[in-house]
Amino acid sequence: YQPTGNLSATRPVDDDAQLLYASLKAMYGRAEEFGGTLFSHAVQVMTDLIHHEPQSFRQLQEAGLPDAFLVAVKAGVFPSGESICAFPGALVALCLNSVGLRRVRETAALNVLVDIFMSKKAMRVLTGDTPSVLGSGLEELMRWDPGELAERGSNGYAGVALVDIPSCGMTGTSHHNVGV
């Protein structure tokens, strides 16, 4: 698999696709064991497949990849800055398809952002360029469907929490309620 402009190189052949999808699903399900870098690469492969070949969403859905990814993020598997930064782009890709958008909304996947920003473990990996890369990804995600996605948080909560991110010059904690 290699994401390129060449259609034949973008979509894996059927036999390889099943192996690829099974491998990606295993990486999502065992992210803590594989580590954040490999998890982020697995997320990026799914994201690239959807962006470069939107028709592949059906095969990804049949293989259970979007749901496996959403289960992994709801479980809080963000052991690295790379995996945190891969999250918004993957949600944008899933939201390109009506089934994916529905699943993102049903799982309230955006609530994971509150957990990320409130977690001391996540704060430790938000260093260097990670906050700006994450911010760019979140900006793109909010452009996709700002009102609806935000309102789908648990009980309408789309919290934005800023917790001592020295590299950004931000300290303290604030919460913002939307649609409550």
Side-chain angles (χ1 to χ4, degrees), residues 119-140:
S119 161
K120 289 183 189 251
K121 180 180 177 183
M123 288 297 109
R124 285 192 289 272
V125 300
L126 289 177
T127 60
D129 291 337
T130 302
S132 62
V133 172
L134 176 61
S136 295
L138 293 174
E139 180 182 13
E140 179 64 26

Side-chain angles (χ1 to χ4, degrees), residues 23-31 39 42-43 46 65 68-69 72 77:
S23 297
L24 295 174
K25 190 173 179 181
M27 287 180 220
Y28 298 157
R30 298 171 47 201
F39 177 79
V43 171
M46 179 184 73
L65 284 179
F69 166 73
V77 292

Side-chain angles (χ1 to χ4, degrees), residues 21-163:
Y21 300 160
S23 297
L24 295 174
K25 190 173 179 181
M27 287 180 220
Y28 298 157
R30 298 171 47 201
E32 291 288 339
E33 293 173 49
F34 284 109
T37 301
L38 193 55
F39 177 79
S40 69
H41 290 308
V43 171
Q44 195 59 51
V45 168
M46 179 184 73
T47 301
D48 288 347
L49 281 169
I50 295 170
H51 280 301
H52 293 288
E53 182 63 34
Q55 302 302 332
S56 69
F57 183 85
R58 185 176 57 78
Q59 289 87 13
L60 296 171
Q61 182 68 25
E62 288 171 1
L65 284 179
D67 284 336
F69 166 73
L70 291 169
V71 166
V73 298
K74 292 294 286 183
V77 292
F78 290 107
S80 72
E82 294 104 339
S83 60
I84 291 171
C85 290
F87 173 70
L91 289 184
V92 168
L94 292 176
C95 290
L96 293 174
N97 180 285
S98 61
V99 173
L101 176 62
R102 189 184 81 241
R103 290 297 299 139
V104 167
R105 289 175 175 168
E106 287 172 354
T107 60
L110 285 177
N111 283 351
V112 171
L113 293 172
V114 174
D115 296 336
I116 290 171
F117 292 129
M118 296 302 293
S119 161
K120 289 183 189 251
K121 180 180 177 183
M123 288 297 109
R124 285 192 289 272
V125 300
L126 289 177
T127 60
D129 291 337
T130 302
S132 62
V133 172
L134 176 61
S136 295
L138 293 174
E139 180 182 13
E140 179 64 26
L141 179 60
M142 289 302 126
R143 269 194 240 144
W144 175 252
D145 193 359
E148 187 65 27
L149 286 174
E151 289 177 22
R152 291 298 174 148
S154 69
N155 299 324
Y157 183 77
V160 174
L162 306 173
V163 183

